[in-house]
């Protein structure tokens, strides 16, 4: 499973992206996770090239466990 987390470096979202990476690795240790720094306030998560979370669309960060539940529902 490939997961891509795109985060805004300008707004210092890297710690949130790193915490999410750790949360995912705790459940899916074999996940291939890529952290991509971007700008514009983005925080998006893709699973196998499919967007499963977008801060831009929802105007919020993911809740604890939300991304894990989205991954489970897609597998």
């Amino acid at each position: 499973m490939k997961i891509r987390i795109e985060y805004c470096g300008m707004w210092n979202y890297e710690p949130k992206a790193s915490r999410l990476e750790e949360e995912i690795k705790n459940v899916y240790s074999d996940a291939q996770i890529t952290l991509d720094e971007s700008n514009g306030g983005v925080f998006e998560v893709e699973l196998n090239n499919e967007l499963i979370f977008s801060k831009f669309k929802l105007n919020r960060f993911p809740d604890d466990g939300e991304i894990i539940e989205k991954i489970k529902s897609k597998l």
Side-chain angles (χ1 to χ4, degrees):
M1 139 179 40
K2 293 182 181 180
I3 297 173
R4 178 177 176 262
I5 303 170
E6 181 181 1
Y7 66 91
C8 180
M10 186 172 73
W11 287 98
N12 195 31
Y13 293 167
E14 184 176 10
K16 291 180 185 306
S18 294
R19 282 194 299 275
L20 180 56
E21 177 184 29
E22 185 178 324
E23 180 183 346
I24 295 167
K25 283 284 192 182
N26 284 337
V27 177
Y28 299 102
S29 60
D30 60 338
Q32 298 174 10
I33 302 175
T34 303
L35 299 180
D36 288 334
E37 184 174 342
S38 188
N39 56 35
V42 300
F43 194 91
E44 297 191 335
V45 182
E46 294 178 359
L47 171 63
N48 297 325
N49 299 316
E50 178 186 348
L51 185 65
I52 62 170
F53 183 88
S54 172
K55 177 184 169 290
F56 180 76
K57 290 181 181 179
L58 298 173
N59 200 32
R60 66 175 177 83
F61 288 99
D63 296 327
D64 290 343
E66 181 176 359
I67 300 301
I68 298 298
E69 289 303 314
K70 288 184 179 292
I71 292 170
K72 285 181 184 176
S73 73
K74 298 285 184 181
L75 298 180

